[in-house]
């Protein structure tokens, strides 16, 4: 009976253990689903934070315009904007020594003032015109809302005028005149903007419209009365230089001839106005919104894009002044494009003897307002350039006072709004007594001490601009702190989960300590966390903070509440570390430091993909030397690993714009078949302890023994179709429907075949490699097809390297038999605990995953990939299908990397979700860095890339998981022969 009881007792214990094991696995599964959902929500919420920090509108409403206290020097203003006109092409002579703008040069030398207007990046048409007409630099919040309409209503010179007449581009004129009731405007149809023609006729169209308007006034008394009023603005937008620069480049004869056209239009407008009014009361301003690079593009901060001509003449404008050393006093002053004040004028311009007055582009708005006696636009941040205006001293002071008060009013309004919404307000201290400064200025003006008043005004305006920036970034410290703490909290929470669920740390000790204290403690922590969330929400509500502020704070407090609730686990971990040897602590710190260095390297690779060349050259040497200690050179494995890494290093030196090379695609297809044949031979015939885990010796024969030959045949057939499809395209023949059908069939059928391959590690990965090759080749146009084979070789080298490490690691041998005994409650039979040395696997995965980003271009910008890649599948323009094909082509290298990663986790018997969480932790280290690298200044490309880099890393919590799920279809039944198990059997 006793024996029977014992047997029954043993069965009861086994049953109880099985029940506990099942319960723990269910708990772990629920917890991991919860973690994934939490990660998705957290990254989605925190991704929105950059728009509250970096892209918040600088515009405030509620200020009253400052009425000028001086008489207007001019009755009307003519603004001519030559879109895309470079300063150097405007001022320099042509090859025969003749200047391209003879009329405006005559004005510069005898009638008006000149200089260079410095634009702030992004140097695009809309921001440039906003700066010229409204006096502020493009609202960065417009990044999220498009450029066609005003994302936020703003004031402009046109709003303040009595009437505005405007003619030009449909992309510009409606922005400024569409909502202005006192305006008369017209724009040509979009169809006129044809890059295949000389676009100077667009400039002539604008002039013809204005000339027609003046001619009609002789028959239209209302129009004539309107034209004879004061405070009028005439705006002609001349798009020709921009369109011709894009189509033909700014050094082309068409572009350079367009410079002569705009000069001719300026001359004709001048004579037309003067003949019509005959009162010498018109002011003229000629400028450009941005320049043009030699490549025919614009947007960045290069001088060819930021330097634009400025010529002013007419009523209220000073006459030319000879150049002298005392003309300017602000020699250390920098313009908004970071160019120094008083940069030397090129001698070829032929204007070195005439004073040059450079301005910031936003300074033109207060200049125009002052010339016709209007209040400055209430949102303007421009400074009135006195060197252009012909006024007596008292009027100059009053004009600068009006400009300064207008900027100061913006500051006071922002200060008031922030103070009324803040429980603890921190004022901008330098302007705490601005009212007394204004009183002092008024006193100095009354006693006619204009020089002292002017110095105080300039200082006050400078402080007001600093104050505007202070309130624009007022919440930055708080928001950045909350977001950074949130990311750090998320990473710590994941680390605790990994340590608790996937490592061999002393679980029994943790459970005993937790059982005694944790329940009551956790309740208290959650209660305190809820109270803190409630308190922060109330404070944010009282401060009228946006809804997302509540989400940021709540998410961060929630994460840290979860961390604090794990106090007993953290305490036990501290005791565990405290009891370990010093060597282990050093190893832990070194691993952490190396991980951070690698992740920082990956961050920098987003802006310089050539770093991967040095990376793989180094890795090739280091890996082969490491293997040499374990594997003799005669095996060829160390040499293969080195050559594979060096081969891949070549591709990040190649241009992102892939040149067409059909022969290279065909050669790479042959290389892919050769790689498949070698892998097949190794899988079936390679002998020795180095191949035990990955070969197919002990796996049963596949159901389809001819599968490999079929896959190789499909790769060859895809090469034939590449050649046929390309020859049709080069001969400008339509792609046959039969060819399209064959291409689609090859691509679809080949990707299904790996599911029917043998489930040995090497055989399945070879089948996946050959299965996606036809699709990739049909979508390739050049060297990226070779990259596919090179990446596969490196992935093979990685698998061989890991197999060697697995076989020769004594730590692995000693732990393999004990891990599952302690933690079989959670782990499956084919999994073991994570160890510190396993960190290298997610790190190598991160490097290879990023190489898939940048090996043949820049995944952060799909525009960097060639659209002709999809022409073998579709030739009729279909943006969604073309984009889908292009994106799928980019996904194929990612899928190879993730399939190899999954195979390696099976080889090492690692929990795949544990490795996934390590990848997310590493991704978030990079995410934090990219969070601080987001830009709200510079070209649209620089701004967009900084956002996309941050967004891509934030999205990896979903992106990588989806690819894991997709590749799991191919890798879930891979089987590895454990080298360790085999060695134990041999022993």
């Amino acid at each position: 009976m006793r024996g029977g009881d014992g047997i029954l007792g043993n069965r009861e214990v086994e049953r109880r253990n099985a029940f506990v094991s099942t319960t723990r696995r269910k708990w772990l599964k629920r917890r991991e689903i919860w973690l994934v959902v939490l990660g998705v929500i957290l990254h989605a919420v925190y991704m929105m934070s950059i728009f509250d920090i970096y892209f918040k509108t600088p515009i405030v409403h509620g200020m009253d315009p400052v009425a000028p206290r001086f008489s207007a020097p001019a009755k009307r203003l003519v603004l001519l904007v030559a879109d895309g006109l470079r300063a150097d092409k405007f001022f320099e002579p042509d090859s025969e020594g003749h200047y391209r703008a003879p009329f405006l040069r005559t004005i510069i030398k005898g009638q008006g003032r000149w200089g260079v207007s410095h634009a702030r990046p992004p140097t695009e048409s809309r921001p440039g015109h906003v700066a010229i007409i409204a006096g502020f630099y493009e609202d960065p919040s417009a990044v999220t809302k498009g450029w066609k309409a005003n994302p936020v209503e703003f004031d402009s010179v046109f709003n303040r005028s009595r009437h505005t007449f405007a003619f030009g581009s449909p992309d510009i004129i409606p922005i400024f005149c569409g909502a202005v009731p006192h305006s008369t405007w017209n724009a040509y149809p979009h169809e006129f903007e044809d890059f295949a023609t000389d676009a100077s006729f667009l400039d002539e169209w604008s002039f013809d419209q204005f000339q027609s308007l003046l001619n009609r006034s002789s028959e239209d008394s209302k129009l004539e009365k309107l034209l004879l009023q004061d405070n009028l603005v005439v705006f002609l937008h001349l798009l020709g230089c921009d369109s011709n620069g894009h189509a033909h480049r700014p050094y082309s004869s068409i572009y350079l001839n367009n410079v002569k056209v705009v000069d001719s239009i300026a001359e004709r407008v001048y004579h037309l106005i003067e003949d019509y009014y005959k009162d010498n009361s018109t002011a003229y301003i000629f400028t450009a919104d941005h320049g043009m690079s030699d490549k025919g593009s614009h947007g960045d901060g290069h001088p060819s894009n930021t330097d634009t001509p400025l010529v002013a003449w007419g009523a209220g404008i000073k006459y030319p002044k000879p150049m002298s050393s005392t003309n300017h006093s602000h020699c250390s002053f920098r313009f908004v494009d970071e160019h120094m004040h008083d940069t030397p004028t090129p001698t070829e311009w032929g204007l070195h003897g005439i004073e040059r007055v450079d301005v910031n582009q936003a300074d033109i708005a207060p200049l125009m307002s002052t010339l016709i006696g209007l209040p400055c636009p209430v949102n303007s941040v421009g400074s009135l350039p006195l060197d252009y205006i012909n006024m007596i001293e008292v009027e100059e002071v009053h004009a600068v006072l009006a400009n300064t008060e207008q900027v100061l009013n913006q500051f006071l309004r922002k200060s008031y709004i922030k103070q009324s919404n803040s429980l603890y307000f921190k004022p901008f201290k330098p302007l705490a007594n601005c009212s007394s400064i204004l009183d002092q200025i008024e006193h100095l003006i009354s006693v006619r001490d204009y020089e002292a008043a002017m110095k105080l005004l300039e200082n006050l305006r400078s402080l007001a601009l600093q104050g505007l920036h202070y309130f624009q970034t007022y919440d930055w410290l708080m928001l950045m702190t909350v977001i950074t703490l949130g990311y750090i909290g998320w990473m710590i929470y994941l680390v605790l989960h990994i340590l608790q669920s996937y490592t061999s740390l002393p679980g029994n000790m943790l459970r005993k300590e937790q059982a005694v204290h944790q329940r009551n403690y956790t309740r208290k922590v959650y209660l305190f966390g809820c109270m803190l969330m409630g308190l922060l929400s109330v404070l944010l509500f009282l401060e009228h903070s946006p809804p997302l502020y509540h989400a940021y704070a709540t998410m961060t407090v929630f994460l840290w509440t979860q961390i604090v609730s794990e106090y007993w686990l953290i305490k036990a971990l501290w005791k565990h570390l405290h009891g370990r040897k010093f060597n282990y602590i050093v190893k832990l710190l070194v691993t952490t430091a190396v991980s951070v260095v690698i992740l920082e390297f990956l961050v920098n690779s987003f802006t310089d993909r050539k770093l991967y060349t040095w990376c793989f050259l180094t890795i090739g040497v280091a890996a082969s030397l490491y293997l040499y200690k374990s594997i003799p050179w005669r095996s060829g494995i160390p040499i293969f690993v080195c050559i594979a890494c060096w081969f891949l290093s070549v591709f990040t030196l190649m241009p992102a714009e892939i040149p067409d090379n059909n022969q290279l695609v065909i050669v790479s297809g042959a290389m892919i078949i050769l790689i498949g044949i070698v892998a097949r031979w190794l899988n079936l015939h390679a002998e020795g302890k180095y191949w035990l885990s990955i070969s197919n010796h002990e796996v049963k024969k596949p159901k389809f023994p001819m599968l490999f030959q079929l896959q190789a045949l499909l790769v060859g057939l895809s090469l034939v179709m590449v050649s046929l499809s390309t020859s049709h395209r080069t001969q400008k023949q339509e792609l046959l429907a039969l060819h399209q059908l064959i291409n689609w069939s090859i691509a679809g059928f080949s990707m299904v075949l790996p599911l029917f391959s043998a489930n040995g590690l090497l055989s399945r990965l070879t089948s996946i490699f050959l299965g996606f090759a036809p699709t990739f080749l049909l979508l390739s146009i050049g060297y990226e097809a070779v990259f596919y084979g090179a990446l596969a070789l490196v992935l093979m080298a990685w698998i061989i390297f890991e197999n060697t490490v697995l076989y020769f690691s004594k730590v692995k041998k000693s732990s393999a038999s004990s891990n599952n005994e302690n933690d079989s409650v959670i782990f499956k039979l084919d999994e073991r605990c994570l160890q510190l040395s396993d960190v290298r696997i997610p790190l190598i995965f991160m490097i290879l995953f990023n190489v898939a980003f940048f090996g043949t271009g820049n995944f952060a910008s799909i525009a960097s990939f060639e659209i002709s890649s999809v022409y073998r599948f579709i030739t009729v323009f279909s943006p969604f299908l073309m984009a889908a094909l292009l994106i799928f082509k980019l996904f194929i290298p990612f899928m190879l990397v993730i399939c190899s990663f999954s195979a390696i986790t099976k080889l090492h018997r690692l929990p795949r979700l544990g490795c996934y969480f390590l990848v997310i932790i590493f991704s978030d280290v990079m995410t934090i860095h990219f969070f601080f690298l987001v830009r709200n200044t510079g070209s649209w490309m620089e701004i967009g890339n900084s956002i996309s880099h941050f967004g891509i890393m934030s999205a990896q919590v979903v992106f990588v998981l989806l690819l894991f799920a997709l590749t799991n279809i191919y890798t879930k039944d891979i089987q590895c022969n454990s080298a360790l198990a085999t060695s134990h059997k041999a022993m």
Side-chain angles (χ1 to χ4, degrees):
M1 289 294 291
R2 191 174 293 175
D5 290 343
I7 291 169
L8 290 173
N10 287 340
R11 286 177 180 169
E12 185 64 32
V13 169
E14 288 174 8
R15 196 177 294 115
R16 191 183 304 117
N17 284 342
F19 173 76
V20 171
S21 176
T22 305
T23 305
R24 291 279 291 171
R25 282 177 190 161
K26 286 181 179 177
W27 170 85
L28 181 61
K29 188 174 181 179
R30 286 196 303 270
R31 182 180 173 88
E32 283 172 339
I33 292 172
W34 152 246
L35 274 173
V36 169
V37 171
L38 176 64
V40 171
I41 295 171
L42 176 138
H43 287 83
V45 170
Y46 284 173
M47 204 186 299
M48 299 300 295
S49 66
I50 59 171
F51 299 108
D52 281 322
I53 297 172
Y54 296 102
F55 302 106
K56 203 166 186 177
T57 175
I59 297 173
V60 287
H61 299 286
M63 297 85 64
D64 293 324
V66 180
R69 293 190 284 177
F70 53 87
S71 56
K75 291 181 179 180
R76 66 200 69 86
L77 172 84
V78 176
L79 173 63
L80 305 170
V81 177
D83 201 309
L85 177 56
R86 278 169 58 156
D88 57 349
K89 300 302 180 189
F90 175 77
F91 289 117
E92 71 187 15
D94 58 22
S95 57
E96 297 177 359
H98 303 303
Y99 291 101
R100 301 186 184 100
F103 169 72
L104 289 171
R105 288 186 71 82
T106 305
I107 294 293
I108 291 170
K109 292 183 175 180
Q111 216 174 325
R113 305 289 271 160
W114 78 284
V116 171
S117 170
H118 296 269
R120 192 182 85 169
T123 45
E124 302 284 352
S125 292
R126 178 193 162 101
H129 283 88
V130 169
I132 292 167
I133 300 166
F136 70 94
Y137 299 104
E138 180 59 88
D139 176 2
S141 70
V143 167
T144 61
K145 300 173 184 176
W147 310 117
K148 297 300 180 187
N150 289 339
V152 180
E153 290 302 320
F154 55 80
D155 192 21
S156 73
V157 175
F158 297 173
N159 291 14
R160 295 290 157 199
S161 69
R162 194 181 302 274
H163 201 90
T164 294
F165 300 92
F167 305 101
S169 165
D171 293 324
I172 295 298
I173 300 298
I175 290 175
F176 298 95
C177 299
V180 178
H182 52 275
S183 66
T184 301
W185 59 276
N186 195 10
Y188 41 78
H190 281 284
E191 294 75 35
F192 279 30
E193 298 175 29
D194 185 355
F195 289 117
T197 62
D198 181 353
S200 60
F201 79 93
L202 299 175
D203 301 343
E204 296 289 355
W205 183 93
S206 298
F207 172 76
D208 291 343
Q209 290 288 309
F210 178 60
Q211 186 177 38
S212 175
L213 178 86
L214 293 183
N215 292 337
R216 285 202 317 273
S217 67
S218 60
E219 301 171 1
D220 187 340
S221 58
K222 286 185 179 179
L223 179 58
E224 184 180 26
K225 186 177 179 182
L226 202 61
L227 285 166
L228 293 175
Q229 294 182 105
D230 294 347
N231 307 130
L232 291 186
V233 176
V234 176
F235 171 43
L236 297 189
H237 176 247
L238 311 174
L239 186 65
C241 288
D242 185 71
S243 295
N244 285 328
H246 287 310
H248 309 288
R249 307 293 183 269
Y251 45 78
S252 65
S253 59
I254 293 178
Y255 179 92
L256 298 175
N257 183 67
N258 209 144
V259 180
K260 298 177 182 178
V261 171
V262 295
D263 179 73
S264 169
I265 288 174
E267 182 177 16
R268 282 179 280 160
V269 166
Y270 172 69
H271 291 304
L272 200 64
I273 293 276
E274 293 303 313
D275 290 343
Y276 186 87
Y277 288 103
K278 299 183 176 65
D279 59 0
N280 295 322
S281 296
T282 308
Y284 301 85
I285 289 181
F286 175 89
T287 187
D289 53 348
H290 57 75
M292 182 74 62
S293 73
D294 288 340
K295 294 181 179 179
S297 62
H298 50 83
D300 61 24
H302 191 273
S304 63
N305 289 326
T306 61
D307 290 1
T308 61
L310 174 62
V311 181
W313 75 99
I317 303 293
K318 287 182 178 176
Y319 279 80
K321 222 190 246 187
M323 195 68 185
S324 70
S325 58
T326 59
N327 279 341
H328 298 298
S329 57
H330 303 293
C331 294
S332 61
F333 174 76
R334 282 184 180 272
F335 290 100
V336 287
D337 57 359
E338 293 300 315
H339 300 163
M340 288 295 292
H341 197 279
D342 285 345
T343 50
T345 301
T347 53
E348 62 267 23
W349 289 8
L351 297 170
H352 54 275
I354 304 169
E355 184 185 26
R356 165 181 162 182
V357 183
D358 287 9
V359 300
N360 285 321
Q361 199 170 56
D363 299 343
I364 297 174
L367 171 62
M368 293 193 295
S369 297
T370 302
L371 285 171
I372 51 176
L374 300 177
C376 290
V378 295
N379 305 118
S380 170
V381 294
S383 299
L384 179 64
L386 284 176
D387 288 323
Y388 278 86
I389 296 179
N390 185 20
M391 287 180 165
I392 60 173
E393 194 174 14
V394 62
E395 288 183 330
E396 283 186 352
V397 173
H398 281 300
V400 174
L401 177 60
N403 178 211
T404 303
E405 285 184 331
Q406 170 267 319
V407 177
L408 187 63
N409 283 351
Q410 289 183 79
F411 163 80
L412 293 173
R413 181 63 182 167
K414 281 198 171 188
S415 179
Y416 171 77
I417 292 171
K418 184 56 67 178
Q419 186 172 6
S420 61
N421 292 334
S422 298
L423 297 175
Y424 174 66
F425 175 69
K426 292 184 289 183
F428 183 64
K429 292 180 181 177
L431 284 179
N433 60 339
C434 61
S435 58
S436 62
I437 298 174
L438 281 173
D439 291 339
Q440 187 179 354
I441 290 168
E442 292 285 2
H443 172 70
L444 290 170
I445 293 173
S446 65
V447 298
R448 299 185 180 182
D449 190 351
Y450 301 130
E451 187 177 345
M454 194 68 82
K455 286 181 180 178
L456 275 179
L457 281 169
E458 289 177 356
N459 183 57
L460 182 60
R461 184 172 55 196
S462 175
L463 289 175
L465 290 171
Q466 292 174 35
L468 286 175
H469 181 263
Y470 171 79
F471 286 114
Q472 183 68 22
T473 59
Y474 188 86
D475 292 332
W476 279 26
L477 180 61
M478 181 271 288
L479 288 173
M480 286 182 162
T481 303
V482 169
I483 301 300
T484 305
L485 284 175
Y487 277 119
I488 292 171
W490 161 250
M491 289 188 288
I492 293 173
Y493 190 45
L494 275 188
V495 168
L496 292 176
H497 171 72
I498 291 168
L499 292 174
Q500 195 174 12
S501 305
Y502 295 110
T503 64
S504 59
L505 290 172
N508 289 333
M509 178 185 70
L510 301 182
R511 288 178 199 132
K512 286 176 184 176
E513 292 203 37
Q514 286 173 339
V516 178
H517 302 286
Q518 188 155 13
R519 187 172 298 172
N520 290 331
Y521 174 78
T522 303
R523 287 176 182 170
K524 292 177 182 177
V525 170
Y526 284 163
L527 179 63
F528 177 78
C530 289
M531 290 172 63
L532 183 58
M533 283 183 206
L535 177 63
L536 288 174
S537 292
V538 169
L539 291 174
L540 291 169
F541 179 78
L542 292 173
E543 292 196 345
H544 302 282
S545 298
L548 278 174
Y549 282 34
H550 297 259
Y552 307 145
T554 300
M555 191 69 73
T556 301
V557 171
F558 172 78
L559 286 167
W560 283 96
T561 301
Q562 294 292 325
I563 293 167
V564 175
S565 70
E566 300 284 355
Y567 168 74
W568 300 106
L569 172 63
I570 297 169
K571 184 179 177 182
L573 289 171
W574 176 254
K575 285 183 179 178
H576 176 70
L577 285 174
H578 197 64
R580 295 299 294 263
K581 293 180 180 178
F582 178 73
N583 290 345
Y584 180 81
I585 305 298
V586 171
K587 186 179 177 183
L588 180 64
L589 293 174
V590 169
T591 303
T592 305
V594 169
S595 300
V596 171
V597 169
I598 291 172
L599 295 173
E600 287 301 304
F601 163 82
L602 292 177
V603 167
N604 289 308
S605 72
F606 272 68
T607 52
D608 185 8
R609 55 198 284 265
K610 292 178 182 178
L611 288 173
Y612 286 109
T613 299
W614 296 106
C615 173
F616 279 96
L617 288 173
T618 306
I619 288 175
V621 173
S624 59
L625 289 176
Y626 177 85
L627 290 173
Y628 175 65
K629 295 180 181 178
S630 310
I631 303 177
W633 287 109
R634 66 177 179 274
S635 70
I637 290 175
I639 296 173
F640 165 71
V641 170
C642 185
I643 291 174
C645 290
W646 284 11
F647 184 29
L648 188 65
S649 71
V650 173
F651 291 90
T652 45
L653 291 175
M654 294 186 179
E657 295 80 17
I658 301 170
D660 283 6
N661 192 329
N662 194 45
Q663 288 74 26
L664 196 58
V665 176
I666 293 170
V667 169
S668 65
M671 183 185 77
I672 287 168
I673 295 173
L674 181 62
I675 291 170
I677 292 170
V678 173
R680 168 88 168 167
W681 185 89
L682 288 172
N683 186 44
L684 295 177
H685 302 100
E687 298 289 343
K689 55 193 175 183
Y690 315 118
W691 304 95
L692 288 172
S693 296
I694 60 177
S695 66
N696 205 22
H697 296 286
E698 298 179 12
V699 181
K700 62 182 180 181
K701 291 184 179 180
K703 295 179 182 177
F704 304 99
M706 298 296 289
L707 183 66
F708 174 80
Q709 289 84 346
L710 177 59
Q711 288 189 294
L713 179 65
L714 285 173
V715 175
L717 186 56
S718 69
L719 295 180
V720 174
M721 296 310 299
V722 163
S723 181
L724 281 174
S725 303
T726 307
S727 66
H728 274 70
R729 183 156 57 90
T730 52
Q731 294 169 15
K732 297 186 178 179
Q733 296 177 3
E734 186 179 352
L735 184 63
L736 298 177
L738 178 63
H739 288 178
Q740 284 182 277
L741 179 63
I742 293 172
N743 290 342
W744 281 101
S745 301
I746 291 171
F749 184 56
S750 65
M751 290 188 291
V752 177
L753 292 179
L755 297 172
F756 302 99
S757 64
N759 57 2
L761 186 148
L762 187 56
S763 57
R764 176 57 61 86
L765 289 181
T766 303
S767 184
I768 292 169
F769 167 66
L770 291 174
F772 283 98
T775 309
F776 197 82
L777 289 170
L778 287 168
L779 287 166
S780 296
I781 60 168
Y783 74 79
E784 79 271 36
V786 187
F787 170 77
Y788 182 81
L791 181 64
L793 289 174
V794 168
L795 293 173
M796 185 65 224
W798 183 26
I799 291 168
I800 294 171
F801 176 84
E802 291 297 340
N803 186 45
T804 308
V805 170
L806 175 67
Y807 189 87
F808 287 98
S809 174
K810 293 180 181 179
V811 176
K812 302 283 183 187
K813 284 185 179 181
S814 62
S815 63
S817 60
S818 60
N819 282 341
N820 283 341
E821 292 175 13
N822 292 335
D823 288 272
S824 59
V825 173
I826 295 179
F827 290 115
K828 300 173 186 176
L829 293 174
D830 60 344
E831 290 180 353
R832 66 167 176 83
C833 294
L834 286 171
Q835 297 172 342
L836 188 60
S837 58
D838 294 326
V839 168
R840 78 178 178 280
I841 296 171
L843 281 173
I844 294 173
F845 167 77
M846 291 287 291
I847 293 172
L848 291 170
F849 198 73
N850 278 275
V851 166
F853 270 70
F854 299 109
T856 58
N858 179 1
F859 185 81
S861 175
I862 291 176
S864 70
F865 294 90
E866 183 56 54
I867 192 68
S868 61
S869 300
V870 304
Y871 286 166
R872 296 186 188 108
F873 290 93
I874 182 172
T875 53
V876 178
F877 182 68
S878 175
F880 294 108
L881 182 56
M882 286 178 164
L885 285 169
L886 197 57
I887 290 170
F888 184 72
K889 175 191 174 184
L890 306 181
F891 275 1
I892 290 175
F894 297 146
M895 295 178 73
L896 282 189
V897 174
I898 290 187
C899 285
S900 302
F901 180 62
S902 299
I904 286 171
T905 59
K906 285 180 177 286
L907 183 67
H908 280 281
R909 300 166 52 233
L910 298 174
R912 202 158 72 127
L913 262 176
C915 292
Y916 163 73
F917 287 130
L918 282 173
V919 168
I920 297 307
I921 290 170
F922 293 147
S923 296
D924 283 334
V925 173
M926 296 173 65
T927 303
I928 291 176
H929 194 134
F930 282 125
F931 174 67
F932 288 99
L933 291 180
V934 172
R935 298 185 59 171
N936 58 4
T937 58
S939 69
W940 290 145
M941 187 177 72
E942 291 166 336
I943 294 171
N945 280 347
S946 72
I947 295 172
S948 65
H949 294 163
F950 173 70
I952 285 169
M953 296 313 301
S954 296
Q956 283 208 10
V957 68
V958 177
F959 180 59
V960 175
L961 188 67
L962 289 176
L963 286 177
F964 263 66
L966 187 61
T967 55
N968 193 50
I969 299 169
Y970 294 99
T971 60
K972 63 183 177 183
D973 58 343
I974 287 179
Q975 292 182 7
C976 301
N977 303 320
S978 173
L980 292 171
T982 308
S983 64
H984 283 308
K985 286 179 185 177
M987 288 169 65

